Amino acid sequence: MSQQQQRNWFARHKVLTAAGAVVAVVVIGAAMGGGGDTDSPKAGAKQEQSAKPGGDKAPGSEAPEKKVVTIDGDGDFEVGADVKPGLYRSTGNKDAECYWERAKNASGDVDSILANDNVTGTSYVEIKASDKLFKSTDCGTWEAVDPKATGTPETTLKGDGGMFKVGVDIAPGTYKSTGNKDDECYWERSKDASHSTDTILANDNVTGTAIVKVTASDAYFKSAGCGDWVKTG
């Protein structure tokens, strides 16, 4: 079996949560211990600068340009050398063409995979200091995210939007999605973005109507192949 075939098989098959329910349509690798560096990454990855504010200003009066740490959407990156541990986000991915992987070594074997996913929409990934390699294929650029950043949470969500950070992208509450067919809708509540099996709080493959309560203590809500979600309570 080629490495590409191994990856595709691993990404298609379902796994079980600790509670025993049939879950993820995408692969989630072996759970790993140890925490990552919680500080926002500062170096070791591709650097991009934001545009300068418009308008003419006196010399020396411009505010310092902010630099955003990014990882290219294609390539293998050695953790600690090419990329710093931390939380990253990739957006605008289409038709599950984006594939990422956290690995414990560079052997390329299936058992080296700690966690991985095929992504449509947005994905968050926490790269841990104990990881050895981060792989990304056909993904949008990964941008470092401050785990403590705030936002304006939405109450309607795209059913194929990917991952939503609770309290930032999505408001806590009860959500409903309708018109789902043939178990193609997959949703997941999780406690972090490592994508290890033991971080899954609850998940399901749905036909028909799905109703999920996203709590304030959840870290992320994931949706793939579902009808749009509307907050009902």
Side-chain angles (χ1 to χ4, degrees):
M1 181 182 293
S2 70
Q3 295 302 316
Q4 181 67 33
Q5 288 172 324
Q6 287 178 335
R7 187 181 73 183
N8 290 343
W9 185 95
F10 205 53
R12 283 198 305 267
H13 287 65
K14 297 179 181 180
V15 296
L16 300 179
T17 60
V22 176
V23 292
V25 275
V26 293
V27 51
I28 305 192
M32 60 175 291
D37 183 352
T38 57
D39 292 334
S40 179
K42 298 179 180 178
K46 178 181 175 183
Q47 303 283 335
E48 292 186 353
Q49 294 184 342
S50 60
K52 293 182 179 180
D56 294 331
K57 295 184 178 181
S61 64
E62 295 86 352
E65 294 182 44
K66 292 184 179 180
K67 292 183 178 180
V68 178
V69 178
T70 62
I71 308 172
D72 198 291
D74 287 286
D76 295 352
F77 305 92
E78 186 177 0
V79 178
D82 303 320
V83 58
K84 293 292 186 181
L87 181 64
Y88 293 83
R89 177 181 59 202
S90 175
T91 62
N93 300 294
K94 298 180 180 179
D95 302 325
E97 293 177 355
C98 165
Y99 172 80
W100 65 261
E101 177 182 308
R102 293 173 46 230
K104 59 186 177 183
N105 58 48
S107 69
D109 295 335
V110 170
D111 62 4
S112 73
I113 299 174
L114 296 166
N116 64 358
D117 202 357
N118 291 102
V119 178
T120 298
T122 295
S123 183
Y124 288 85
V125 178
E126 180 187 354
I127 300 175
K128 294 180 175 287
S130 53
D131 296 352
K132 298 302 181 183
L133 205 67
F134 179 72
K135 298 186 177 185
S136 179
T137 304
D138 294 329
C139 299
T141 299
W142 295 90
E143 180 178 316
V145 177
D146 182 353
K148 297 180 180 180
T150 60
T152 305
E154 300 288 341
T155 56
T156 59
L157 309 170
K158 291 292 184 182
D160 221 13
M163 287 182 73
F164 304 91
K165 198 171 192 306
V166 178
V168 176
D169 305 319
I170 174 177
T174 300
Y175 288 80
K176 179 184 287 188
S177 170
T178 60
N180 300 296
K181 299 179 180 180
D182 302 325
D183 279 350
E184 292 179 357
C185 168
Y186 171 77
W187 64 261
E188 176 185 308
R189 294 169 46 230
S190 58
K191 58 186 178 182
D192 64 34
S194 70
H195 297 264
S196 301
T197 52
D198 62 353
T199 69
I200 299 175
L201 297 168
N203 60 2
D204 201 2
N205 292 103
V206 180
T207 298
T209 297
I211 300 176
V212 181
K213 184 175 182 180
V214 178
T215 72
S217 60
D218 296 349
Y220 296 90
F221 177 72
K222 181 177 181 180
S223 178
C226 302
D228 291 350
W229 297 88
V230 178
K231 188 173 183 291
T232 60

